[in-house]
Amino acid sequence: MNGAVLIVPFRGVDSLLAMFVFTPLIVLFWRGACNLRNFYIYPDNPELTCWVSVMIGYTGALTLNLTQFLLTKYIGSHNAIAFPVLSRIYTILFVFTSANQWCGVWVTLDYYAGFSFFSAGMSVLLCMLLLWFLRSSSSVLASPFLIAMDRTEGYFLAPTFFKSQPSNAGKFLLDITFSVLVISTLAFSVWRGIWELEDLAIFPEDSFSSALVSCIIGIALATAMTLLQFKVATVSAKLDSHPYAKLLLEQTWLFAQIVGAVSLWRGYWMLCNWYFMPEDHRYELGQWVSYAIGTGGCMILFIGNTNVMRGVGRDGFQSNGEGIALSNHYTSILYQFLQNIHYQPAISDPESTTKNGKATFCDENEASISGSYTVINQSEDGAVAT
């Protein structure tokens, strides 16, 4: 291979799968997970439900993020016995905390700030301005623009804002805390704002028509961005010597992805409310079935990690247009795995494999969050080529 990057022209297939297979499964999971809270976490006390969900979500997210290197060391892919089982348990636990974190922030804002154009608009405006300032708007991305496959390499690792390492315990703790408490909260708030603006603006009296319009917006944006990504990436590459212009282009592109993702999720979610066991006497059972299908489907298709809300993406730090590339690769990665499996190095110590002084696992996860395309390949000098 001589370190060459293998590029497989499967982007169209990947996007179709992301729009019409993966995103519906992911929405089924989130719909079930969020709505089940209403039955089992103090259903008669909405305020207490909010705060219990917030506590569960943030406590779990902080714990699992802080222990990511320990998990990699002791039950990483090098542990052939423990990894297959414990990695799945880890994903189930993390998606449970992610659902409580996401829904907890959402319903808490609704409870105290209300449901209105002003509340939703300020949620989008203020939080997006902060994320743009912090150059972390890519942290808001989700399917169909971001698909995280359950790859063994770096399974437990997630990039943080300052990219600190546990060797500096104090800095690492602060980094994790900032990434989880600040960046994640801003991201969830943006989702809530865009979703509720569409609730209020798109056929508010006709939920079925509103759902269809949201689906059309999401699919149209996803299709357009799939077709345009290479041309826009070329423009971004030419702006490498003009970092602020490139940053503006990337953040505008990312915001369009965010609107597309929220719209498609909202459309599918509302269609599920119409067609997926909507009867009152089967509503609770319907949420369990929704949760089970979403979880099982994502696990079977090896995209369970897409449901895990973790990691911080950074805007404008990549070159050659990589910040524009959609990170929803699936068939291409499967094809590359089959083609290159005998080229991949055996990794005995996950903390010892580095690239330019950084853990290779972190680079791979960071690529999946920020939108760049990383191919695992063994070059002649033994380094990982990207």
Side-chain angles (χ1 to χ4, degrees):
M1 291 292 184
N2 297 321
V5 175
L6 179 63
I7 300 177
V8 186
F10 290 154
R11 298 295 180 89
V13 177
D14 290 337
S15 291
L16 288 173
L17 286 172
M19 283 188 281
F20 300 113
V21 179
F22 302 151
T23 301
L25 286 173
I26 292 165
V27 169
L28 280 172
F29 160 77
W30 280 93
R31 175 177 176 267
C34 290
N35 288 339
L36 285 171
R37 293 169 44 264
N38 299 327
F39 290 99
Y40 300 110
I41 302 180
Y42 298 102
D44 298 323
N45 191 333
E47 185 176 17
L48 188 57
T49 300
C50 297
W51 288 109
V52 171
S53 289
V54 168
M55 289 179 62
I56 293 172
Y58 281 97
T59 301
L62 286 169
T63 301
L64 292 169
N65 275 280
L66 285 169
T67 57
Q68 57 180 288
F69 287 94
L70 288 174
L71 292 171
T72 300
K73 181 177 181 179
Y74 292 107
I75 57 173
S77 57
H78 58 286
N79 192 326
I81 297 176
F83 179 79
V85 176
L86 295 181
S87 63
R88 295 305 180 187
I89 295 175
Y90 162 88
T91 298
I92 292 171
L93 287 174
F94 213 142
V95 295
F96 172 74
T97 63
S98 294
N100 276 280
Q101 191 182 8
W102 190 58
C103 299
V105 170
W106 191 308
V107 296
T108 300
L109 286 172
D110 280 351
Y111 188 85
Y112 291 105
F115 177 74
S116 65
F117 274 110
F118 179 79
S119 174
M122 293 302 292
S123 186
V124 177
L125 179 62
L126 294 179
C127 295
M128 278 308 308
L129 285 174
L130 284 170
L131 286 166
W132 283 329
F133 175 76
L134 294 169
R135 300 179 69 166
S136 294
S137 63
S138 55
S139 302
V140 190
L141 293 180
S143 63
F145 302 101
L146 172 64
I147 299 296
M149 289 189 67
D150 299 340
R151 303 170 68 181
T152 55
E153 295 86 0
Y155 191 92
F156 303 105
L157 299 180
T160 55
F161 186 84
F162 297 105
K163 306 188 188 309
S164 57
Q165 298 294 312
S167 55
N168 187 334
K171 183 178 179 181
F172 183 66
L173 175 61
L174 291 174
D175 190 7
I176 293 293
T177 302
F178 181 81
S179 299
V180 172
L181 296 185
V182 177
I183 302 298
S184 294
T185 303
L186 292 173
F188 301 147
S189 300
V190 168
W191 269 72
R192 176 231 177 211
I194 296 173
W195 191 302
E196 293 189 356
L197 283 175
E198 293 192 2
D199 284 343
L200 293 162
I202 302 176
F203 298 111
E205 304 299 328
D206 184 352
S207 61
F208 182 75
S209 297
S210 184
L212 291 180
V213 172
S214 281
C215 285
I216 292 170
I217 293 171
I219 292 170
L221 282 171
T223 302
M225 301 186 87
T226 299
L227 297 173
L228 293 174
Q229 61 179 313
F230 297 108
K231 292 183 178 179
V232 179
T234 301
V235 175
S236 177
K238 293 178 180 179
L239 293 174
D240 280 345
S241 57
H242 304 281
Y244 290 109
K246 183 181 77 169
L247 179 63
L248 178 61
L249 174 65
E250 286 192 14
Q251 290 187 331
T252 303
W253 178 260
L254 288 166
F255 185 69
Q257 291 183 55
I258 294 166
V259 173
V262 176
S263 298
L264 192 57
W265 277 49
R266 178 180 178 272
Y268 284 151
W269 192 300
M270 295 175 70
L271 288 177
C272 285
N273 291 341
W274 268 86
Y275 292 111
F276 196 87
M277 301 176 71
E279 299 86 356
D280 289 341
H281 67 282
R282 295 200 301 168
Y283 185 76
E284 182 178 356
L285 175 61
Q287 304 312 308
W288 276 111
V289 174
S290 179
Y291 179 84
I293 293 175
T295 302
C298 289
M299 292 282 191
I300 291 170
L301 294 172
F302 299 102
I303 58 167
N305 261 335
T306 306
N307 288 321
V308 176
M309 296 295 183
R310 62 176 185 178
V312 175
R314 302 304 306 277
D315 311 336
F317 288 99
Q318 296 170 286
S319 58
N320 298 320
E322 290 182 346
I324 298 297
L326 303 184
S327 189
N328 57 4
H329 309 283
Y330 185 80
T331 56
S332 49
I333 290 178
L334 291 179
Y335 179 84
Q336 291 156 13
F337 174 77
L338 294 174
Q339 292 293 313
N340 298 317
I341 187 169
H342 61 288
Y343 289 104
Q344 294 190 23
I347 299 173
S348 58
D349 182 358
E351 294 184 296
S352 65
T353 302
T354 60
K355 173 189 168 190
N356 298 329
K358 289 179 61 182
T360 303
F361 291 155
C362 290
D363 287 346
E364 292 163 7
N365 270 343
E366 182 179 347
S368 71
I369 292 290
S370 61
S372 67
Y373 189 30
T374 301
V375 179
I376 308 303
N377 190 6
Q378 182 70 8
S379 63
E380 291 179 341
D381 61 0
V384 174
T386 61

